[in-house]
């Protein structure tokens, strides 16, 4: 009997994941409110997250010891994490919060393709079909929101990176505790972004923070990053990377609602955007229903 056959444990992890995704919905809002560039923003974000996790370990006297090969894997995974967030915030600054969040929904398709390849499993036709519907929705958005082409490309590339590090984490969490994985990956992201900023002379006046930025970055680094990242990794002990990716796609729902409340961004969107968004979000909601129906038919035959 596998972990995923234990309903109580799965339901608890689903609840944690939904709460985590709700918190992630705030990141787009905070990204739009913070005045500095995407790279500088992510550097501060991972710095605050790494320090807060390190302090958490010190208070709880948690051992951080891992093997050298695992250390390298997690630090290199941190490059994907950092790249994902930089492209995510760049997409927001190049387009709008709703456009970026809907592009992020393509995580489902990328995970449906990459997870079987990386884990050497059979590709699910239903997962590919769901992913194809999501891509159809994104193409519709592309067609009608041409002024946001750069933002859409950044958002889709961000989704590729997110899909890859989610699959890697679903394997690592079977061996190590989620906070330890989160610490090394976030610290790795900090190292890679620091190297990038040093080579591009990025540590300059443009990184200076305004008064409101400090408060927003603290919320982003602690609640939306270290806490949410640990929770997001921990549920992968019970849930597949694809299932996590599917539920993560509720982030656009929360984010778009919050975007409307904070910025009235919905008024900027065309009909094409909304048709595409409806296709994407209805696919996310209907996928688990279709999967259950297929499982029932198989069990009867």
């Amino acid at each position: 009997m596998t972990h995923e056959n234990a309903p109580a444990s799965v339901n608890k992890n689903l609840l944690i994941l939904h709460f985590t995704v709700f918190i992630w919905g705030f990141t787009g809002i905070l990204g739009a409110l913070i005045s500095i560039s995407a790279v500088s923003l992510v550097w501060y974000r991972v710095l605050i997250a790494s320090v807060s996790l390190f302090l958490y370990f010190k208070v709880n006297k948690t051992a951080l010891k891992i093997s050298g090969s695992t250390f390298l894997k997690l630090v290199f995974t941190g490059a994907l994490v950092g790249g994902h967030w930089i492209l995510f915030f760049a997409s927001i600054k190049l387009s709008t919060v709703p456009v970026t969040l809907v592009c992020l929904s393509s995580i489902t398709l990328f995970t449906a393709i990459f997870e079987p390849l990386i884990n050497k499993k059979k590709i699910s036709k239903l997962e590919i079909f769901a992913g194809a519907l999501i891509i159809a929705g994104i193409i519709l958005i592309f067609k009608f929101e041409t002024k946001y082409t750069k933002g859409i490309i950044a958002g889709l590339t961000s989704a590729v990176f997110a899909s890859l590090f989610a699959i890697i984490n679903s394997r690592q969490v079977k061996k190590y505790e989620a906070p330890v994985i989160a610490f090394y990956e976030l610290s790795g992201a900090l190292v890679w972004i620091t190297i990038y900023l040093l080579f591009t002379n990025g540590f300059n006046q443009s990184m200076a923070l305004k008064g409101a930025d400090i408060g927003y970055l603290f919320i982003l680094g602690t609640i939306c990053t270290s806490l949410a990242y640990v929770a997001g990794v921990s549920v992968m002990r019970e849930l597949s990377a694809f299932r996590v990716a599917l539920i993560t796609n509720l982030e656009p729902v929360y984010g778009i609602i919050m975007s409307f409340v904070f910025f009235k961004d919905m008024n900027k969107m065309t009909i094409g955007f909304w048709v595409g968004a409806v296709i994407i979000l209805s696919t996310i909601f209907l996928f688990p229903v279709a999967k259950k129906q297929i499982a029932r038919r198989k069990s009867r035959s």
Side-chain angles (χ1 to χ4, degrees):
M1 182 171 148
T2 63
H3 280 303
E4 224 163 327
N5 290 331
S9 181
V10 169
N11 289 340
K12 180 190 165 192
N13 281 287
L14 283 171
L15 197 66
I16 292 167
L17 184 58
H18 276 286
F19 179 67
T20 304
V21 171
F22 180 73
I23 291 172
W24 283 338
F26 282 105
T27 60
I29 306 300
L30 292 167
L33 289 170
I34 295 165
S35 63
I36 54 176
S37 73
V39 179
S40 302
L41 189 158
V42 177
W43 186 82
Y44 280 115
R45 179 184 188 176
V46 291
L47 174 67
I48 294 165
S50 301
V51 170
S52 61
L53 275 172
F54 185 74
L55 293 172
Y56 165 81
F57 290 134
K58 283 293 172 191
V59 170
N60 288 287
K61 295 181 172 63
T62 307
L64 280 167
K65 198 173 181 184
I66 55 171
S67 68
S69 61
T70 303
F71 171 78
L72 287 174
K73 275 180 197 168
L74 295 180
V75 167
F76 277 102
T77 305
L80 291 173
V81 176
H84 158 66
W85 282 333
I86 287 167
L87 288 163
F88 174 78
F89 290 117
S91 177
I92 287 169
K93 292 178 189 293
L94 289 165
S95 59
T96 67
V97 175
V99 167
T100 301
L101 290 170
V102 171
C103 287
L104 212 61
S105 300
S106 61
I107 289 173
T108 311
L109 173 69
F110 296 127
T111 307
I113 296 165
F114 296 144
E115 189 176 22
L117 292 173
I118 291 169
N119 293 333
K120 295 181 176 64
K121 288 181 185 174
K122 191 181 174 186
I123 292 175
S124 161
K125 287 175 188 172
L126 182 64
E127 288 180 8
I128 293 295
F129 178 67
L133 281 175
I134 287 166
I135 285 295
I138 290 167
I139 289 167
L140 259 177
I141 292 167
F142 244 121
K143 190 179 175 184
F144 289 94
E145 301 290 349
T146 48
K147 62 182 179 288
Y148 298 137
T149 301
K150 285 182 182 174
I152 292 169
I153 292 167
L156 290 173
T157 312
S158 172
V160 170
F161 286 4
S163 170
L164 289 169
F165 75 70
I167 296 162
I168 293 164
N169 285 344
S170 69
R171 298 176 76 169
Q172 292 297 338
V173 80
K174 306 274 193 298
K175 306 174 210 168
Y176 298 97
E177 291 299 316
V180 174
I181 293 168
F183 174 73
Y184 283 110
E185 287 184 352
L186 293 172
S187 300
L190 178 63
V191 169
W192 292 114
I193 298 165
T194 300
I195 292 167
Y196 173 80
L197 286 169
L198 286 169
F199 274 97
T200 56
N201 297 316
F203 289 108
N204 53 43
Q205 196 57 37
S206 68
M207 287 189 77
L209 300 173
K210 293 177 183 173
D213 289 341
I214 297 166
Y216 294 143
L217 278 166
F218 183 77
I219 295 166
L220 184 65
T222 54
I223 297 166
C224 298
T225 308
S226 53
L227 178 68
Y229 196 87
V230 168
V233 173
S234 67
V235 299
M236 289 182 169
R237 280 215 167 128
E238 304 290 340
L239 308 172
S240 70
F242 183 82
R243 197 165 181 186
V244 170
L246 196 73
I247 293 165
T248 301
N249 282 319
L250 285 171
E251 188 179 332
V253 180
Y254 302 135
I256 288 167
I257 291 166
M258 285 185 261
S259 174
F260 175 66
V261 171
F262 282 88
F263 307 119
K264 305 289 185 286
D265 261 350
M266 287 189 180
N267 302 334
K268 299 179 188 176
M269 304 288 89
T270 62
I271 294 294
F273 171 84
W274 289 114
V275 172
V278 166
I279 290 170
I280 291 165
L281 298 175
S282 55
T283 303
I284 292 159
F285 285 113
L286 292 173
F287 177 84
V289 179
K291 200 164 188 179
K292 275 184 184 175
Q293 289 296 328
I294 289 167
R296 276 179 193 163
R297 281 179 193 169
K298 280 183 180 174
S299 64
R300 282 177 197 155
S301 59

